[in-house]
Structures are given as C-alpha cells and as structure tokens.
Amino acid sequence: MSASENLAQHAAVVYNPVKVDLARLRASVGAAERAAGWGPTQWFETTIDDVGQAATKRALDADAAMVVSAGGDGTVRAVAEALRESGVPMAIVPSGTGNLLARNLLLPLGNIDAAASIAFGGVDKPIDLGVAFLTTKAGAVEEHVFLVMAGLGLDAQMIANTRDDLKRQVGWLAYIDGVARALPKARPFRIRYSVAGRVDRPAQVSAILVANCGLLPGNLQFLPDARLDDGILDIAVLQPKGVLGWLTIWRRVTWENGVLRRSAVGRRMIAATESSNERVMTTLRGPDIRIALEHAQDFELDGDEYGLVQKVRLHADAGALIVRVPA
C-alpha cells in the first residue's frame, strides 16, 4: 500500500479506561500510526453500559480500517462480537488478568509499544469465533460470542468465586483461590449432550469446557489439539471422582499436555494410560455441541460469568473474525 493510500485510512481504538494507562497507550499508538503512515486514530471509550460493542459499531460507522481492542478479555470479546464477519481486522493491546486470546495468538503481553507496532505493521489472520446460545433459568434465549473457552459447572463456579481484588494483586493466580472456594460446594450434575448432531448422550459431570483454542493462563495446555482456525470446537467432559480424580486431571493438563506431548516417547506413554484418563476427562471434537441440563448450572465465557443456564448450544463460526498478528 502506498503512503498516500495509508494516509487515507485510519484506525480506531476501543479502550477500557479502568484497564489501560491512557496517556501511555496514546503515545504508543501515535508512534506506530505515524511509522506506518496512517491517518489520525479515533478513540472510543467503553462504559458500564457499553463494554465495547456499541463503541466498535461507531468506529465501523466512521469507516475505521482496523479496530484496536485495549483492555481485558471482556473488551476483546465485545469488540470481536461487533466485528464478526465485517472484514475489518481487530488488533489487541492486552491488559488485565487473563489476556486469553493474546496468549493463544502469541502476542506480546505487558509491552504496549510492541503490541501497537503489530497492530499497524502486522498481517491479517482469519480465525473462528465461538457462538453460544444460552437458555436462561427464566427461559430467555441469549446469543454471545467467545474467543477462547466456554465453561459449564465447576469452571464457571470458579470464575464466580474469584476475588477481583486478588486478581488485581496476583493476576491469574487468583483463580487458584477461586477453585479452592468452589470445590467444597461443587456437586456433579446430570446432562444430555450431542456433538455434531449425533444422538443425545446422558452423563453425570462436574464440568464441561468447550474450547476454540486451548492455552490458558500459566501456559497451561488444557486442550492442546484446539486450533483457532479449524472450524472445530474441542470439548472436555470432566467426570472426576474425589480428590484423586481431580489430581489425575491436573496431571494430564500440566505433565502430559505440557511435557510428554513434546516427544515421541512421551506420546507413547500418554497412549498407554489413555483409557484411565478418559474415565475422568473425556475429550471430543465437532463443529457444534448441544447441552441440556437437569438443573440449571453456572456458565462462563472467556472468564466472565453469565449466571445460571438451563440449555446451551455452541458452534464454531469458521473464519468469522480477522485478527492482526506479527508479520
């Protein structure tokens, strides 16, 4: 693109004023914008009433050629929801605790200058969006998108029990405290689920996680086969019995997924113990999943709680979002 064509286009920044150092962000974006020869960037602030969707739509109405999401996972998800299938790329300046999509895209964390440079000098990559249709306990149906993971049961209870003040102090480690608070109250619950339109299967579970990609905070490879651009959701059905069952899941995530999978010998060791692992954590793959619950359970998307749901239907919207990644 020529210098004159660059100057004819501009970016927009949708930012959460609670999460970002605005002066620092403006300086970094301004430097990257000038280095790329783009026109002046427009700025849109999120509010309690608009976490980013309406601000992003205003940016699109103003013909922004790219929207930069500056904030935590909630801001990123809101911007992505508004940009869905628009063809306008989203760049990310990560902030907050999780930075889940940024981690999976291998974007720089804690380096505003580098993130802004990628926004204006990176390349476009189409990725999938997860789409969730929730039927609440009251019977209302809501549609939301997610970028990394949806969770039902204990996972969502952990999110609900994580203290915001602790997250500000110790970051993602605060979720360990959330697990400790949720586990004593956790009880298995009965569901019926169907993947890719197959016959419904009954199960008694502690949690179900549905992933668009698999890397979690702490570099935990929860579902290492999950990919952002394959049009497939990766699903984990957790059915542990007691403390030993949870320890088996923890070993699988940290040791098997994080260490053994890196070598041929390690992968053979995983295959040898696969049947015992499946008794506590079954993994499935498909473009969609439907779940009906006997009793309403807590639900979360990308680390934000969405309350009690009675039914959920989730599917992958293949290539629905364009993101900026390093060239």
Side-chain angles (χ1 to χ4, degrees), residues 20-86:
V20 304
D21 180 338
L22 184 55
R24 181 77 182 87
L25 179 63
R26 281 185 178 273
S28 294
V29 168
E33 162 203 297
R34 289 188 294 274
W38 283 47
T41 297
Q42 294 183 318
W43 294 78
F44 299 86
E45 180 178 304
T46 67
T47 65
I48 293 175
D49 295 327
D50 169 35
V51 295
Q53 290 96 334
T56 303
K57 288 174 182 175
R58 291 200 302 275
L60 291 175
D61 290 341
D63 295 325
M66 171 182 66
V67 178
V68 180
S69 174
D73 291 325
T75 306
V76 173
R77 188 174 63 254
V79 172
E81 188 168 78
L83 289 178
R84 179 183 175 189
E85 297 181 346
S86 69

Side-chain angles (χ1 to χ4, degrees), residues 10 12 43 59 91 94 192 198 217 220 228 282 316 325:
H10 71 274
W43 294 78
R192 297 189 69 86
R198 293 191 285 270
L220 293 178
L228 276 163
T282 303
V325 296

Side-chain angles (χ1 to χ4, degrees), residues 24 26-27 35-36 41 63 69 89 109 123 136 143 156 167 173 190 195 197 199 243 254 262 264 270 282 286 288:
R24 181 77 182 87
R26 281 185 178 273
T41 297
D63 295 325
S69 174
L109 305 180
V123 296
T136 68
E143 180 182 359
K167 285 169 66 176
L173 291 172
R190 298 197 63 79
V195 177
V199 175
V243 174
T254 57
R262 298 174 184 173
I270 292 172
T282 303
D288 60 77

Side-chain angles (χ1 to χ4, degrees), residues 222-294:
F222 187 75
L223 288 165
D225 292 328
R227 298 288 180 271
L228 276 163
D229 56 359
D230 60 0
I232 294 293
L233 296 175
D234 287 68
I235 302 151
V237 181
L238 306 186
Q239 299 170 290
K241 291 181 172 58
V243 174
L244 185 60
W246 287 112
L247 289 175
T248 300
I249 291 172
W250 181 251
R251 183 192 67 192
R252 176 169 177 173
V253 171
T254 57
W255 175 244
E256 294 184 6
N257 293 351
V259 179
L260 293 184
R261 286 177 62 93
R262 298 174 184 173
S263 69
V265 172
R267 290 190 289 273
R268 286 197 293 272
M269 292 173 64
I270 292 172
T273 59
E274 195 167 16
S275 60
S276 61
N277 281 343
E278 286 183 352
R279 285 197 291 269
V280 297
M281 178 174 166
T282 303
T283 55
L284 307 163
R285 308 187 79 231
D288 60 77
I289 180 172
R290 293 182 291 107
I291 307 169
L293 298 106
E294 187 174 62

